[in-house]
Amino acid sequence: MSNEQTGNVHAKVAALREICIQEVNEHMTVLEKQVWDLPASLIKDILPHLNIFYLERIEPAAKRKGVSTGMVWAALWKDLVKAWRCRSKTTISADEWRQKCLERLFHQALFGHIRLDRYYLSNLSWSSILSLTAKHVQVLSLFGSAREICKLAADELSPVLATLENNVRCIKLQDTSALFKQGHAVMLYIFHRLLDHGSVRDLVLTRSPDTRLLTWILQKDRRTQCSMPQADTQHFTPFGLGEIKKPSLSGASVSSHGTCLTPEHEISGASLIRCSSGEMGNDACLTPFKRPRLDVGQMAGAAETSTGCLPSQSFSWQPMDSECLFPPFTPSCSLNGEICPIGQIHSLVLEVFNDNISRTVSPLLPSCVCLRSLHFHSEWAIEKADVLGVVEALKQLFENPACSLTDLSIGSVSSSMPVSTLLLHLLTACPTLKSLSLEASPVFHQTKSCVTPAPQPAVDTVYSLERLSLRFPQVSENLENLMLVLRRASSLTALHLIGIHNGGHKLGTLLQSLPELNPNLKALSLDDVNLANCHSEVLSLLNNSKLEDVHFKDCRLLEKCKVKEDFLVPFVTALKGLTSLRSLTLSQNRLANGVIALAGLFSGDSPSKIQRLDISSNYILPMGLLEFGRLLQDNSPLPGLTVDLRCNPLDRDPQVTEQALLKLRPLCHLFIDNWNSRTTMADHISVM
């Protein structure tokens, strides 16, 4: 048989195979029960042609045959985001790819950013896509149109909302003021279902969250129960609007307490109430809902208080010009007279403006006993009085025996109060905190005459602090108060300091004192901290501590060394003596050929047990890396070592780089990239 004939045969076989795969794909409904009998090779070929429904359902059979769906979900993700580059340091499993893809698909479908002509959505409708993907949504991001979000209140999507109740753990909201101006009543109903009936424990509110929404969420102790009293149904009092006469609805009964309706009190579907101001007068949107304290009329604004929306069993998505933008809906949170469950927010992230702190955050904090983690940050300068107001509110919260807060993070605070002083105030108010993160930004255009000394609290208690992270502004900082804190935080296991440029001799004293002050310290992370004048103190710290993770990033370790080895040799010796050390980060310290000295970590009778070495962004050249590889060949590190080499100019000599990598790959796992050093401006003059 000639080559041409052989080629034709192979082409026909390939074409026949494609036809068979296509037929199997189109008849999966019939073949699904027999898919277990298909050979692994055929299952592998079929996977890329299936829609998400069958792709998910075939996974158990594929796994049993030893076929992973990970690459298929990864390809789907690439199509969804349109630009994809895997930056993950760890392998993503098929389950993780599936969850990422289907969660993304849910949001795209909800907000109308989806193309139904994609192969993985073939034969699926918009509602079926939402139904299929809802169970994979762990983080619900509501950043889109309020009109699209409010579709979740439709009768046809009630199973989807119920699924979200069971699966969503975190809700992210952006610019809530804009959202609630458009559809406040329906939005509040959806949040009621997710927060009170659902499994949501984490809430993220960014871009100036609406203060009334925040109040409504956090005032748990002022909510009414979601039960249906049998008497006194003459008035309906939603959201603290006062007594409003019950509209005349044939066969309808409305709760007098603004509660969820039970089946026997649902509004008749025969009476579809339109939202025109002519029919409703001045009545506000009446949503059967259990949180009565949020003033919907105020939230909507004076221009909207004349428009009302009554619930109905019918769902019409064609509002008239004079009507609300959102449809009537049937509440489905009835519990047959039982008490409505009250969810708890355990983690809250807030992006606040200055005026929100004193008006909203501080007054609410004392009652937030269910919060375990609180993070709020502001891009605006915060007045000292507001900062101290937050401290006082936190003090009241911690005086409550029911307080659950253990993790506090305050970011981007721009205040005249020094960081260490604010730290003392916070820990004095919250002595049982386990984790505290505090970031401060410099205050510009402030004269010395405007600065008044902040009162310093008396330090007379022992702190429970285990993790502390501080970012200092780029000004001279007195570290005495920080040492006071560390002296009373004997349980501290992790310390992260950022941005100490002018610590003076106090920084050296602090480092040298850490083993004595904090004997349980396991992780020390210094970012953008000038250690150029603290070499002896650094060596003393390493020789006397039990650190497991040492992180020195951009610390100018070699800035004043005429000969790098003068510091690197004793530095490596101290690191080898630290037998507890497992992770070492030295990125952005201009090591260059000094990397050769680091090979000494793995030589001698007592080699280091380090499992992770980060030497990225150090201007390591190919020849230096090659010598490093040769030395590691002579003294092999323990199995499992990972070395991060990213952002080094290894492109300067690709052949030498490849030789170095050939030596290193059998000895350790490498993180490398295609960084182009010739198009990147960097200050490496001192090491050239």
Side-chain angles (χ1 to χ4, degrees):
M1 185 179 293
S2 65
N3 291 337
E4 182 179 354
Q5 290 174 323
T6 302
N8 292 335
V9 170
H10 286 311
K12 291 180 180 178
V13 171
L16 180 60
R17 186 180 182 84
E18 289 296 323
I19 292 173
C20 292
I21 291 173
Q22 188 64 32
E23 287 296 315
V24 171
N25 179 41
E26 293 179 358
H27 295 86
M28 279 297 296
T29 305
V30 178
L31 297 175
E32 186 179 359
K33 294 181 180 180
Q34 287 78 40
V35 74
W36 299 91
D37 300 326
L38 295 176
S41 59
L42 186 55
I43 291 179
K44 187 175 181 179
D45 289 338
I46 290 173
L47 292 179
H49 301 277
L50 299 178
N51 64 26
I52 58 173
F53 175 75
Y54 286 116
L55 180 58
E56 186 176 18
R57 290 173 69 91
I58 202 176
E59 279 190 309
K63 286 182 180 179
R64 179 173 292 188
K65 299 282 186 177
V67 178
S68 173
T69 59
M71 293 302 295
V72 181
W73 290 114
L76 196 156
W77 176 259
K78 182 178 180 180
D79 186 77
L80 286 174
V81 300
K82 303 305 178 187
W84 175 64
R85 186 181 175 189
C86 186
R87 297 177 180 268
S88 176
K89 294 183 179 180
T90 56
T91 302
I92 299 180
S93 67
D95 291 342
E96 291 172 318
W97 275 124
R98 180 179 65 249
Q99 193 274 328
K100 283 166 58 75
C101 288
L102 296 183
E103 185 175 88
R104 182 66 173 251
L105 269 171
F106 176 87
H107 287 91
Q108 289 188 350
L110 180 63
F111 295 110
H113 306 309
I114 198 168
R115 292 176 55 186
L116 295 178
D117 61 346
R118 310 308 293 165
Y119 70 92
Y120 47 82
L121 299 177
S122 59
N123 301 319
L124 296 176
S125 65
W126 171 78
S127 59
S128 65
I129 293 171
L130 289 177
S131 298
L132 287 170
T133 57
K135 63 176 180 278
H136 297 277
V137 179
Q138 298 175 7
V139 179
L140 183 61
S141 301
L142 302 180
F143 294 170
S145 163
R147 183 183 183 90
E148 305 302 327
I149 297 171
C150 288
K151 290 179 181 179
L152 292 173
D155 282 348
E156 63 177 303
L157 294 185
S158 59
V160 174
L161 186 55
T163 301
L164 293 176
E165 285 181 16
N166 294 328
N167 294 279
V168 174
R169 298 294 181 266
C170 174
I171 292 180
K172 292 184 177 181
L173 283 172
Q174 189 177 80
D175 196 10
T176 53
S177 297
L179 288 178
F180 279 80
K181 283 180 181 178
Q182 301 178 56
H184 48 272
V186 186
M187 293 282 286
L188 288 178
Y189 168 72
I190 293 172
F191 283 124
H192 166 60
R193 291 284 303 275
L194 294 172
L195 298 180
D196 292 340
H197 290 258
S199 304
V200 174
R201 293 294 176 264
D202 303 333
L203 187 62
V204 179
L205 303 175
T206 59
R207 293 188 183 177
S208 184
D210 190 281
T211 56
R212 285 148 295 193
L213 170 66
L214 184 59
T215 302
W216 176 80
I217 290 173
L218 295 182
Q219 283 187 332
K220 173 185 174 182
D221 56 331
R222 296 188 181 183
R223 304 180 203 167
T224 56
Q225 295 177 341
C226 187
S227 58
M228 180 58 214
Q230 297 299 318
D232 190 18
T233 58
Q234 296 299 314
H235 300 90
F236 178 48
T237 316
F239 313 113
L241 289 177
E243 293 189 352
I244 299 176
K245 291 185 178 181
K246 181 182 64 176
S248 176
L249 301 174
S250 58
S253 299
V254 184
S255 165
S256 62
H257 293 277
T259 58
C260 301
L261 300 182
T262 52
E264 62 267 29
H265 296 88
E266 288 181 354
I267 296 174
S268 171
S271 54
L272 176 61
I273 307 300
R274 292 295 183 184
C275 303
S276 62
S277 58
E279 292 184 26
M280 291 301 300
N282 291 326
D283 289 349
C285 291
L286 305 183
T287 308
F289 204 79
K290 78 173 187 140
R291 302 183 194 235
R293 297 296 179 183
L294 183 62
D295 194 327
V296 176
Q298 292 179 0
M299 176 178 287
E304 296 187 17
T305 55
S306 62
T307 303
C309 300
L310 274 173
S312 168
Q313 288 180 331
S314 301
F315 187 94
S316 173
W317 200 257
Q318 298 177 350
M320 300 171 62
D321 293 340
S322 61
E323 297 175 334
C324 288
L325 291 176
F326 301 99
F329 59 90
T330 301
S332 55
C333 58
S334 61
L335 296 172
N336 297 321
E338 298 179 8
I339 295 176
C340 177
I342 297 178
Q344 292 187 344
I345 300 300
H346 292 165
S347 173
L348 179 63
V349 177
L350 292 174
E351 180 184 349
V352 294
F353 291 123
N354 188 20
D355 58 344
N356 285 349
I357 295 176
S358 59
R359 292 195 301 112
T360 306
V361 177
S362 294
L364 289 175
L365 280 180
S367 63
C368 298
V369 293
C370 65
L371 276 184
R372 300 175 186 176
S373 174
L374 172 64
H375 177 154
F376 72 86
H377 62 281
S378 173
E379 300 298 332
W380 299 78
I382 301 177
E383 298 296 331
K384 185 187 302 180
D386 292 329
V387 174
L388 294 178
V390 171
V391 173
E392 179 60 29
L394 287 168
K395 181 180 178 181
Q396 296 177 33
L397 172 62
F398 274 78
E399 289 173 349
N400 189 327
C403 174
S404 304
L405 189 63
T406 60
D407 185 354
L408 175 63
S409 177
I410 301 177
S412 301
V413 174
S414 180
S415 173
S416 60
M417 183 182 296
V419 178
S420 298
T421 304
L422 177 55
L423 174 66
L424 269 178
H425 279 281
L426 285 169
L427 287 176
T428 302
C430 318
T432 57
L433 271 180
K434 299 293 184 182
S435 177
L436 175 61
S437 177
L438 180 60
E439 293 187 12
S441 302
V443 178
F444 298 105
H445 309 300
Q446 186 177 47
T447 62
K448 292 184 178 180
S449 60
C450 298
V451 179
T452 57
Q456 180 155 316
V459 181
D460 57 358
T461 184
V462 175
Y463 306 134
S464 302
L465 203 62
E466 297 176 1
R467 296 174 301 278
L468 175 62
S469 177
L470 296 177
R471 179 185 289 273
F472 294 85
Q474 296 178 359
V475 294
S476 179
E477 181 70 30
N478 188 338
L479 300 178
E480 291 182 357
N481 283 342
L482 175 56
M483 293 185 67
L484 284 176
V485 168
L486 295 177
R487 185 170 288 110
R488 294 189 170 271
S490 58
S491 300
L492 195 70
T493 60
L495 177 62
H496 187 190
L497 303 178
I498 309 168
I500 302 179
H501 296 167
N502 303 302
H505 72 280
K506 289 295 183 181
L507 176 58
T509 303
L510 172 65
L511 295 176
Q512 196 166 17
S513 303
L514 279 178
E516 179 184 354
L517 297 177
N518 308 105
N520 298 310
L521 194 66
K522 303 299 181 186
L524 175 63
S525 181
L526 303 180
D527 283 352
D528 191 19
V529 174
N530 191 351
L531 298 179
N533 297 313
C534 301
H535 286 174
S536 60
E537 291 85 355
V538 168
L539 296 177
S540 175
L541 167 67
L542 297 176
N543 286 325
N544 295 284
S545 66
K546 298 179 181 179
L547 291 169
E548 298 175 2
D549 184 353
V550 172
H551 179 110
F552 293 155
K553 179 180 179 181
D554 191 15
C555 288
R556 290 76 137 179
L557 282 171
L558 306 177
E559 189 172 275
K560 295 188 177 181
C561 292
K562 293 182 179 179
V563 180
K564 293 186 177 68
E565 286 71 18
D566 289 347
F567 171 68
L568 284 176
V569 171
F571 182 62
V572 169
T573 301
L575 290 170
K576 288 177 64 176
L578 187 55
T579 57
S580 56
L581 187 63
R582 296 295 179 269
S583 177
L584 175 63
T585 297
L586 297 174
S587 60
Q588 297 183 33
N589 278 290
R590 303 179 181 179
L591 285 175
N593 287 336
V595 69
I596 298 172
L598 293 182
L601 287 168
F602 309 101
S603 64
D605 296 333
S606 301
S608 175
K609 298 179 181 179
I610 288 177
Q611 294 291 293
R612 182 179 182 275
L613 177 61
D614 184 350
I615 48 178
S616 59
S617 302
N618 267 301
Y619 202 72
I620 298 172
L621 294 168
M623 285 303 298
L625 185 63
L626 178 60
E627 184 61 24
F628 178 75
R630 286 172 179 164
L631 293 174
L632 255 63
Q633 275 187 325
D634 297 335
N635 301 280
S636 298
L638 293 176
L641 174 67
T642 62
V643 180
D644 193 338
L645 294 170
R646 291 174 296 180
C647 296
N648 283 301
L650 301 178
D651 58 332
R652 298 293 177 89
D653 194 335
Q655 292 183 343
V656 174
T657 296
E658 187 58 32
Q659 293 178 35
L661 296 180
L662 286 174
K663 294 181 181 297
L664 289 170
R665 284 192 178 107
L667 304 173
C668 55
H669 178 66
L670 301 176
F671 293 141
I672 56 177
D673 55 14
N674 295 319
W675 188 62
N676 187 344
S677 64
R678 299 184 186 279
T679 60
T680 304
M681 293 185 63
D683 180 15
H684 295 303
I685 297 177
S686 62
V687 295
M688 293 182 68

